Amino acid sequence: MYALGHLGLVLLAFAPIARHLRRTNRTPLAAAGTIQVAALSTIPDADLLLASVSHRGVTHTVWFALAVGSGLATLAALRALRRPPAPGRRRWTAGLASGLIGAFAVLAHLVGDVITPMGITPLAPVVDAHYSLAVVNAADPSANNALFALGVLATTSTWIAGRVRVPRARPTPRTVLAWLARIDRRPWRTPTTHRDDRTAGQSTRGALDENAPR
């Protein structure tokens, strides 16, 4: 695929992840991830700028995806070490997220190339098996435009429809006991108590009247 098609494909693939992050109250990570996958959508095609590297060679393998992910994770971790950790977060969280998102972007690019007749050899040089689904041509403008439109539509719907869902607190023995204590003080129990007190008062007055001297 061309750059426009790859951009749409990575956005389309990352949209469900971004929606999940938004629903779990991690909107900044969803935004950073969307920007990162968009920026890395064509990074494997850097081999076109290198005369000594064949196109769809080493940069179109899972090993390259692991290398990109490891490099981004290392850079993010080193940057996090220079800053104080955020409350409730660990230093390696940013590095791990950046590495996973970077590797995901490269793998999504490989999916965009495996559907073309030229295909890829994703496990080279360990395994020389070549894969090609030959669904569309890489230069097909209709396919590239359609993928881009789907990616933009999926990303837009994620940010419009994806609402933040506040997680519910799990009940603990202390909260259960407090809830039971509040039930005992609810207003609907008050009339019964008053009626019992009134009945007890009438019985006491009756007993006093019987014991009174005549």
Side-chain angles (χ1 to χ4, degrees):
M1 305 304 295
Y2 283 0
L4 198 64
H6 281 301
L7 176 59
L9 183 59
V10 296
L11 290 177
L12 180 63
F14 190 74
I17 301 176
R19 179 184 292 268
H20 172 72
L21 293 174
R22 289 206 66 202
R23 288 182 176 272
T24 53
N25 201 20
R26 287 177 285 185
T27 300
L29 182 57
T34 302
I35 296 173
Q36 185 173 343
V37 295
L40 297 175
S41 61
T42 58
I43 191 66
D45 286 338
D47 55 7
L48 295 172
L49 305 176
L50 303 174
S52 59
V53 179
S54 60
H55 183 47
R56 296 196 182 184
V58 65
T59 60
H60 287 69
T61 62
V62 295
W63 320 121
F64 183 73
L66 293 176
V68 171
S70 300
L72 291 175
T74 302
L75 291 176
L78 292 176
R79 183 180 180 183
L81 290 175
R82 299 180 180 179
R83 297 182 177 182
R89 298 183 61 182
R90 299 180 180 178
R91 293 182 182 273
W92 52 265
T93 304
L96 179 62
S98 181
L100 290 176
I101 293 173
F104 178 87
V106 176
L107 293 176
H109 181 102
L110 299 186
V111 173
D113 285 337
V114 78
I115 63 177
T116 63
M118 184 177 179
I120 57 173
T121 310
L123 299 176
V126 179
V127 179
D128 292 332
H130 190 80
Y131 299 94
S132 173
L133 299 179
V135 177
V136 294
N137 292 322
D140 187 354
S142 299
N144 284 277
N145 292 333
L147 283 176
F148 178 73
L150 288 175
V152 172
L153 180 62
T155 303
T156 303
S157 64
T158 295
W159 290 95
I160 293 178
R163 296 178 299 177
V164 177
R165 182 176 58 187
V166 179
R168 297 181 179 179
R170 295 183 178 180
T172 61
R174 178 178 297 179
T175 57
V176 172
L177 291 176
W179 180 74
L180 293 175
R182 286 196 299 269
I183 290 180
D184 292 336
R185 295 194 296 268
R186 288 187 177 180
W188 60 269
R189 298 181 60 89
T190 303
T192 303
T193 304
H194 290 171
R195 185 168 56 252
D196 293 342
D197 293 343
R198 187 167 54 253
T199 304
Q202 293 175 356
S203 300
T204 303
R205 286 195 298 271
L208 292 176
D209 293 341
E210 292 178 358
N211 297 329
R214 298 180 180 177

